Amino acid sequence: MDVETARCPVSHRYQPFEEGYLNDPYGALNAMREAAPVAYVPEYDLYVVTRYDDLKQVFKDRETFASQGATSPFMPICAEAQAILNSGFPRKPTLSNCDPPRHPKMRNALSRCLTMKRWEGLQPGVRAYAEGLYEDMAHKPVADLMEDLFFPVPAFAAFSLIGFPMSDLDKLKGWCGTRVQLTYGPLDDAAQVQSARDLIDFWDYCRDFVHMR
């Protein structure tokens, strides 16, 4: 491996949408950590950073790295879906995709309500919810940890913190999944259009909830 390759090799092996990678990404990522801890992927015009210490450095170094593209759609949005989004989903920087000076102001505002006291108050409810999921999983011949546990528990905790009614939990989880798919998934035009409509419904729900509170 020459000096230039060692600095930042080009990876043609990183295919995040291939079935094999989705089913078991760990082998591919382990290989990249050894041979290409930072790699450029030309198919998607992005850099992949695979080592924990390097990721920590990226997150801390705001002079070199920016957050503004963190939630930009991974794949191009078709014209019809984009028109739907433009009709009722104002894209403004949020905590996860903004940089100073906006980010510190948002973080300071959130720190006044996302306190340890509030988190501790949620623990009994979250624990009871998780235990219920464990019980359900115990009676299944096959369990999917992501679907049955790792997605619903953090969603329940976050929605409880916000104050969303738990009767809307499944609907809210569906909308969040739609948002992730539209942002990071390889959707065809029809799926993009449906996801855009769902995202408008999600935005309307959040806006009405804020007004109600």
Side-chain angles (χ1 to χ4, degrees):
M1 182 179 294
D2 60 31
V3 174
E4 290 302 318
T5 302
R7 288 178 180 170
C8 187
V10 175
S11 175
H12 296 279
R13 295 175 295 174
Y14 181 72
Q15 298 295 334
F17 299 128
E18 285 187 352
E19 185 176 357
Y21 179 85
L22 293 173
N23 290 336
D24 182 16
Y26 306 107
L29 290 174
N30 285 336
M32 289 181 70
R33 289 188 186 104
E34 292 297 323
V38 178
Y40 175 68
V41 184
E43 293 90 340
Y44 306 108
D45 190 27
L46 58 80
Y47 291 86
V48 179
V49 181
T50 59
R51 291 180 178 173
Y52 178 77
D53 289 339
D54 293 337
L55 287 166
K56 285 176 60 178
Q57 183 61 34
V58 167
F59 284 128
K60 291 179 179 179
D61 186 357
R62 291 191 171 276
E63 296 298 322
T64 306
F65 303 100
S67 300
Q68 62 182 2
T71 60
S72 298
F74 199 69
M75 307 293 284
I77 301 295
C78 71
E80 185 178 356
Q82 189 60 59
I84 294 170
L85 294 173
N86 293 342
S87 71
F89 181 65
R91 291 187 64 89
K92 296 181 180 180
T94 62
L95 194 65
S96 62
N97 69 331
C98 70
D99 298 294
R102 180 181 175 92
H103 186 272
K105 295 177 182 178
M106 296 182 69
R107 186 175 61 186
N108 290 339
L110 283 172
S111 68
R112 293 195 289 271
C113 63
L114 298 180
T115 62
M116 284 303 301
K117 183 177 181 180
R118 289 200 66 201
W119 280 115
E120 290 170 356
L122 291 176
Q123 284 187 13
V126 175
R127 187 181 302 276
Y129 179 73
E131 289 174 350
L133 295 179
Y134 295 149
E135 291 294 328
D136 292 341
M137 289 174 61
H139 294 90
K140 292 183 175 182
V142 177
D144 185 320
L145 286 175
M146 179 59 68
E147 181 178 345
D148 297 335
L149 188 65
F150 296 157
F151 181 20
V153 171
F156 179 88
F159 297 151
S160 297
L161 186 67
I162 295 171
F164 285 144
M166 289 301 101
S167 58
D168 292 339
L169 181 62
D170 289 339
K171 178 167 61 177
L172 290 163
K173 284 165 52 184
W175 279 332
C176 288
T178 292
R179 173 67 186 273
V180 170
Q181 284 289 325
L182 188 62
T183 303
Y184 303 114
L187 302 181
D188 59 26
D189 288 0
Q192 285 189 1
V193 168
Q194 183 58 54
S195 294
R197 290 171 178 156
D198 290 344
L199 192 52
I200 295 295
D201 291 340
F202 190 16
W203 179 257
D204 289 343
Y205 177 96
C206 293
R207 181 189 58 205
D208 293 343
F209 179 80
V210 170
H211 288 168
M212 179 272 292
R213 292 299 294 263

